[in-house]
Amino acid sequence: MSDPLGPGAAHPAQPSLTRLPAWQALQAHFEALRGTTLRELFAADPARGERLTAEGAGLFLDYSKNRVTDETLALLLRLVRETGVEARRDALFAGERINVTEDRAVLHPALRAPRGAVMEVGGQNVVPAVHEVLGRMGAFADRVRGGTWLGATGKPLRNVVNIGIGGSDLGPVMAYEALKHYADRRLTLRFVSNVDGTDLTEKTLGLDPEETLFIVSSKTFTTQETMANAESARTWLLAGLGNVADEGAAIARHFVAVSTNAEAVAGFGIDTANMFGFWDWVGGRYSLDSAIGLSLMIAVGPERFGELLAGFHEMDEHFRTAPLEGNLPVLLAVLGVWYRNFFGAQTHAVLPYDQYLAHFPAYLQQLDMESNGKHVTLDGQAVDYDTGPVVWGQPGTNGQHAFYQLIHQGTTLIPCDFIGFCQTLNPLPTPEGPLHHDLLMANVFAQTEALAFGKTLEQVQAGGGVKSALAPHRVFEGNRPTNTLLADRLTPRLLGALIALYEHKVFVQGAIWNINSFDQWGVELGKVLAGKIVPELTAAGEPDLDHDSSTNALIRRYRARRG
Ligand code: F6P
């Protein structure tokens, strides 16, 4: 791998991962297998497409179109065992402080544990507190949905605007879009995240302040973007309401908060009676199923939200108890490690064939890249192997007409996850007969087939009519690996299972790489520098700039032209 610390940077003691017997066996096995094609693997084993599959929590995984043999899988699972993944998984579920750099437990599975379950942090069962908050969220959501939570001028609130960023935005917006089919369409849901004033301006456009509820969602309640947007939303609201006698009372009707920081919530002026709490053992990117999901709960109702949690829990149980050989998160994780660390794949594409899942790749980007974008091991040693890949994607079939060309015929290996459903929520027929959905799913199967098996020069020539000079352009090498995840129908329960699948996949990979998947120090430096630069942009007199010459010059140019 390229050295992120720069050429010649001193690397302390060699981390142990690459010296493990399983790793070394995988390296030797890779050298032997790298020339074998998927065509050959399928030809050698006619049952492969049915054999290399697994199922759990409503999700069926076909991983047969991967460049693996039974031996590869056995070695990868040996690596799981040698790296102690199972013990780390058990430590997670036991509420141990596995986020060592922040000295915190990582217990998002408690957010979806059934009432009556026992999950402890520091010797205290946290499940009753989870259900207490869920109960309060449910009561509030029912009042908004039922039109009995009234605004300052006595009108029911029909517009719900979530203000948050990162995990306090990506989860709610993704899940709201995913479950729109189940949402109360009389409500208008909007999500403001960017500190760019355009976001708040456009998202409040056309909304009546008298009918608008803001949910300020921030774990810390200190995040610059969210606080700036919340302040401006308050200004927008008060200006829109006109002369309210009691501003505090008006804010209390139109603003609620989701946070772990009651003091800061009160400091902002939101009544803590209207605050829905969560806990430091919930990471931002794992918080959709905490009170951070309040906007979603208002949209789809507490019952559907409960189904979502049940799906999460079902996948938690699958991950916790299924044998490694059939364990969906483990299988996805080791296949990812195989391509990342042995084939050198830089990126991983996630391609949902469902328009409702349009935001799923963006959600996974934070989940995966903020978790596993790390360059030191748990004990602070620089890694000498690659960690998290770049995760990206778009819904099919749109991507087919944009970037698939490179996946099919480019020079970069891009493993892909295809996600599809057997039943559509919108059975729209085409004039020719098949449903739109049949056309959509035909593309899933066609793409994975084409990526795996391609089209040889002989096949191109046998087709006739292609000049020999053009034939090489028509060749598809194939041998491009894919997973296919197939489920019956996009329900709240299924969505929960799907999200938990990727949460645990990321966890397993982090455990194999021996990194801390639960901190995010990498985002701090930019935040600190931005805080320093804001006054430099706005100071009345010429400020003393002590940045590098590029940054100084850019700041001066901006100051001269900002108008
Ligand atoms: O990007 C850094 C981060 O801390 C994320 O991990 C988090 O989801 C996001 O900022 C928002 O943080 P908060 O919910 O505290 O406003």
Side-chain angles (χ1 to χ4, degrees):
M1 57 165 256
S2 62
D3 191 338
L5 304 179
H11 284 275
Q14 166 108 335
S16 58
L17 176 59
T18 55
R19 289 187 311 201
L20 291 176
W23 185 279
Q24 297 195 344
L26 277 163
Q27 192 62 55
H29 174 69
F30 168 72
E31 298 303 336
L33 189 74
R34 64 192 304 179
T36 308
T37 64
L38 283 167
R39 275 176 182 263
E40 291 162 344
L41 292 172
F42 271 81
D45 176 6
R48 183 181 170 93
E50 276 153 41
R51 223 165 45 75
L52 298 192
T53 60
E55 206 162 352
L59 282 156
F60 174 80
L61 168 67
D62 175 350
Y63 60 98
S64 63
K65 295 191 184 88
N66 280 290
R67 292 167 68 172
V68 293
T69 62
D70 291 346
E71 188 186 350
T72 324
L73 292 162
L75 288 174
L76 287 167
L77 296 183
R78 198 171 131 197
L79 184 68
V80 168
R81 294 193 177 95
E82 285 183 12
T83 48
V85 171
E86 291 151 294
R88 284 184 63 73
R89 175 193 64 193
D90 295 345
L92 178 145
F93 281 93
E96 288 178 28
R97 294 176 178 272
I98 61 169
N99 177 356
V100 288
T101 61
E102 296 178 317
D103 192 25
R104 287 176 183 165
V106 178
L107 204 54
H108 44 272
L111 297 170
R112 52 264 192 159
R115 195 188 293 280
V118 176
M119 298 188 80
E120 294 186 347
V121 175
Q124 196 174 350
N125 181 16
V126 297
V127 177
V130 166
H131 281 269
E132 191 268 327
V133 175
L134 280 172
R136 287 183 53 229
M137 288 166 64
F140 179 71
D142 279 339
R143 286 185 69 185
V144 175
R145 288 164 63 81
T148 60
W149 179 276
L150 303 179
T153 57
K155 290 189 180 174
L157 302 182
R158 295 185 306 112
N159 312 315
V160 179
V161 182
N162 185 72
I163 299 178
I165 197 163
S168 301
D169 166 73
L170 290 162
V173 79
M174 178 276 291
Y176 169 67
E177 290 295 333
L179 299 181
K180 225 175 193 169
H181 176 80
Y182 305 91
D184 182 339
R185 301 301 179 105
R186 291 167 304 180
L187 297 170
T188 298
L189 270 284
R190 295 198 181 160
F191 299 84
V192 176
S193 55
N194 200 333
V195 74
D196 183 345
T198 300
D199 203 10
L200 183 69
T201 304
E202 287 292 339
K203 300 279 174 54
T204 48
L205 212 61
L207 299 187
D208 179 351
E210 292 182 62
E211 299 180 334
T212 301
L213 171 72
F214 289 99
I215 302 175
V216 185
S217 298
S218 174
K219 181 177 169 181
T220 55
F221 229 75
T222 57
T223 304
Q224 183 208 46
E225 294 92 331
T226 301
M227 290 304 104
N229 279 322
E231 295 284 358
S232 298
R234 178 165 51 189
T235 306
W236 176 87
L237 180 89
L238 292 175
L241 290 181
N243 286 331
V244 284
D246 181 346
E247 287 192 354
I251 296 298
R253 303 309 303 168
H254 291 266
F255 274 80
V256 298
V258 178
S259 187
T260 58
N261 186 350
E263 207 180 319
V265 168
F268 179 86
I270 296 178
D271 186 347
T272 47
N274 298 334
M275 168 178 152
F276 301 88
F278 59 115
W279 305 271
D280 74 353
W281 43 264
V282 181
R285 51 195 174 273
Y286 300 88
S287 64
L288 162 64
D289 45 348
S290 72
I292 290 290
L294 181 61
S295 52
L296 173 69
M297 189 194 265
I298 293 172
V300 301
E303 200 177 323
R304 297 290 193 196
F305 194 84
E307 291 165 15
L308 175 87
L309 297 184
F312 268 103
H313 179 66
E314 195 178 351
M315 182 56 75
D316 290 343
E317 287 304 284
H318 170 85
F319 175 51
R320 213 171 53 77
T321 61
L324 297 184
E325 290 70 18
N327 194 306
L328 297 177
V330 171
L331 288 168
L332 287 188
V334 296
L335 290 164
V337 166
W338 180 231
Y339 296 118
R340 182 79 181 111
N341 295 111
F342 297 92
F343 284 82
Q346 298 279 340
T347 82
H348 184 96
V350 178
L351 309 166
Y353 276 65
D354 190 305
Q355 192 59 32
Y356 285 125
L357 289 180
H359 289 262
F360 195 58
Y363 172 78
L364 287 186
Q365 282 182 324
Q366 187 201 18
L367 178 65
D368 201 320
M369 294 166 76
E370 200 165 80
S371 296
N372 287 343
K374 307 291 161 63
H375 74 287
V376 296
T377 60
L378 284 171
D379 52 0
Q381 309 288 314
V383 294
D384 64 348
Y385 43 85
D386 280 313
T387 59
V390 174
V391 175
W392 59 286
Q394 254 191 42
T397 57
N398 295 7
Q400 291 176 204
H401 300 273
F403 52 79
Y404 278 41
Q405 166 65 34
L406 188 146
I407 304 180
H408 280 288
Q409 286 190 314
T411 55
T412 303
L413 181 79
I414 303 177
C416 305
D417 293 350
F418 283 75
I419 303 172
F421 296 90
C422 296
Q423 299 156 23
T424 177
L425 297 170
N426 295 296
L428 187 64
T430 62
E432 290 77 27
L435 297 177
H436 278 250
H437 191 66
D438 298 321
L439 306 186
L440 177 75
M441 291 306 293
N443 277 279
V444 173
F445 306 133
Q447 288 297 327
T448 60
E449 186 179 5
L451 285 164
F453 305 110
K455 193 170 183 187
T456 63
L457 186 60
E458 295 70 46
Q459 287 175 315
V460 173
Q461 286 162 342
V466 179
K467 288 189 193 141
S468 60
L470 294 182
H473 298 272
R474 305 281 184 100
V475 169
F476 288 66
E477 281 175 350
N479 219 16
R480 269 66 169 164
T482 60
N483 291 309
T484 303
L485 278 164
L486 202 54
D488 285 349
R489 201 175 167 82
L490 179 54
T491 59
R493 189 175 181 108
L494 192 281
L495 180 70
L498 184 66
I499 299 168
L501 167 66
Y502 279 94
E503 285 181 349
H504 297 317
K505 171 200 166 179
V506 168
F507 171 79
V508 171
Q509 292 189 328
I512 291 173
W513 289 323
N514 194 27
I515 55 179
N516 184 1
S517 301
F518 302 106
D519 61 13
Q520 56 281 322
W521 300 105
V523 298
E524 290 305 319
L525 179 59
K527 283 189 196 171
V528 172
L529 289 178
K532 172 175 151 67
I533 292 174
V534 170
E536 294 173 348
L537 300 182
T538 54
E542 196 61 37
D544 281 340
L545 298 177
D546 61 356
H547 306 273
D548 58 276
S549 59
S550 160
T551 309
N552 285 345
L554 288 168
I555 291 172
R556 284 197 199 99
R557 187 174 177 86
Y558 176 80
R559 279 179 58 86
R561 291 162 181 256
R562 72 185 274 267

